Amino acid sequence: MAQRVIRGPNSKGRFGPYGGQYVPETVMQALSELEMSYRKLKKDKSFLSELRGYLSDFVGRPSPLYFAERFTAYLKGPKVYFKREDLNHTGAHKINNTVGQILLAKHMGKKRIIAETGAGQHGLATATVCARFGMECIIYMGAVDMKRQAPNVEKMKLLGAKVVTVESGSKTLKDATSQAMRDWVTNIRSTFYIIGSVVGPHPYPMLVRDFQSIIGKETKRQCKEKFRKLPDAIIACVGGGSNAIGIFDSFINEKSVKLIGVEAAGHGLNSGQHAATLSKGKPGVLHGSYSYLVYDNDGQIILPHSISAGLDYPGVGPEHSALSDSGRVKYFSATDKQALAAFELVSKLEGIIPALETAHALAYLIAHKKEFKARQNVVVCLSGRGDKDMPIFFEKEKA
Amino acid sequence: MNRIRTYLNQNKKQKLLIPFITAGYPDRSTTLNLIKAAIDSGCNMIEIGFPFSDPLADGAEVQFSSYQALKNGMTLARTLRIAEQVRKTSDVPLILMGYYNPILCYGENRFMKDAKAAGVDGLIIPDLPVVEASDYKRYAAIHDISTVFLAAPTTNKTRLKQIEKSCSDFVYAVTVTGVTGGGKVFGRDTDNYLKGLGKTLSKKFVAGFGVSSPETARRFCKYSDGIVIGSKLISLMRSAKSKSQGVKDAARFLSSVRKAI
Ligand SMILES: Cc1ncc(COP(=O)(O)O)c(C=O)c1O
């Protein structure tokens, strides 16, 4: 039997050399309280059954594994299945994590919730659970993203969240995250910070992964039901990396399953305008952890670019950095153009409008279909729906 | 020999007045003028900030000065050149403050060596807590750079001990939970916290974050061995009609704080 990959994090919150807690001293105590509460609750039967209840009746899990028949016929390649995270309440995988974290917050007695958001999907998923649990909700969102993901901003407001416009730096996810962290440092005693991806200081990359791992658990079972074996490959887009790690998690030790992460290449890997952290970055420290990062010769973060707000981030979760170094997961990228084409194609072929983030994973498969055989089964994590992306799509159409 | 240690060993009664000055804001030569004016106004040590694109422990003022400094082409290496320049005419202890990624990128060991050669005496990295600092501390010790770690109102006793042990010469106490910058209201709890630190710590400590008036400086110096003033100087520079007027305004303010403590 193949050797098992040792799963992190270790006692220092590291996946190999990556991860850690690079944060101001003010929040160190809160991080250790969070870790203690989480380690206790994840073994607590009533907490787990409460979580399961919300995942099934509020989120609508399990999400289906759907055979994309016409897309498969179009590719003339492998059989393609979509793991339908777009069918979750609020339209993306993000809610798997926010339901978990809001229950943690409740158990820890916190009443004020903050979050950062790029595409608005995490902000929306956070605003939704805050409404459900009657908690105060503040969402930090870059000015650029508020414009390009306007439908989600309206929804968050309707749900009672306060959406704070971030005007600093890139005015996108990076600066929204910095601003959320500043709020957290300031209001540390009252506030629970619901981080939206497998990024940030330990224990966040671990707990977000654990909450998202439901995607992979279901997928494994559903593959056995649908085609009686493991899939040959799994493809997911990678921003911070939460939908990817969520679906990969159950398969990391299944060596026959190829795991593929797709980052945003923006205008192209060599254009200087991309968000392809693992392809083009080097290890560094931002937003609380040591991980691959895109920065210049002086250590200054380079503004990323992607048409997809959810992938427009200069960093990536530390576990992905470790999985990339070890070669267990292979990381590729897709450009803005390829993603837009995939967005339109899959809409027309399957009657499913994917999020622009997800479209990067689909674009990879379109570009690399020749590398798969017809008898192979490939699962794409359909991380979210694309309604939020209609304004961008029509703008690009006109241009 | 480390100038911070030498200075503290002289055991002067005077409270420490430490300005935080962003290298390259509003420009390189004004930075040098401001440092000189600060020394002439009675500052005992100088903190020079090297800019970072994403200063997450900082409020609006330091975010602004860092952004301007980067726009002016300031880098970590150029910040060392500023330290060298100051060293030509002054023996004032110099402490660099900034975020971890530029230092990692420069190379920790090489950076400590170059910093020492440039006349730097100490380092403060707000996003590097003690638990992540073992390599950093080792290199600092090799090159005789004084490490200054931050303690916060949320720091418990156990970690406060670790922090104190990791600080070579003095501890930096963050006054409130929060980022740098003005507009803070300090309640009784700040006094109690600082008073408590004075009792717990055997090393000296300075208080910083949000100190923006001579009155607050005096209030904190009842408990601490000194104070750090940063954002207030940036807003004085920012609102002045000219750069040279900004330096004068900052110097006048620092003199008034000097008198108050
Ligand atoms: C639908 C969708 N997919 C993917 C992502 C990227 O995040 P992650 O890499 O954490 O899954 C986002 C982020 O906003 C998203 O909304």
Side-chain angles (χ1 to χ4, degrees), chain A residues 86-100:
Chain A
D86 61 315
L87 291 178
N88 293 341
H89 183 36
T90 70
H93 67 293
K94 297 287 182 188
I95 196 148
N96 303 327
N97 169 45
T98 60
V99 164

Side-chain angles (χ1 to χ4, degrees), chain B residues 44-59:
Chain B
N44 314 82
M45 300 183 186
I46 308 284
E47 239 181 67
I48 305 178
F50 55 92
F52 183 50
S53 51
D54 299 82
L56 62 85
D58 285 298

Side-chain angles (χ1 to χ4, degrees), chain A residues 92-94 119 121 197 237-243 310-311 355 357-358 383-384:
Chain A
H93 67 293
K94 297 287 182 188
Q121 288 301 124
S197 192
C237 67
V238 176
S242 67
N243 86 90
L311 305 185
E357 289 78 16
T358 314
S383 58

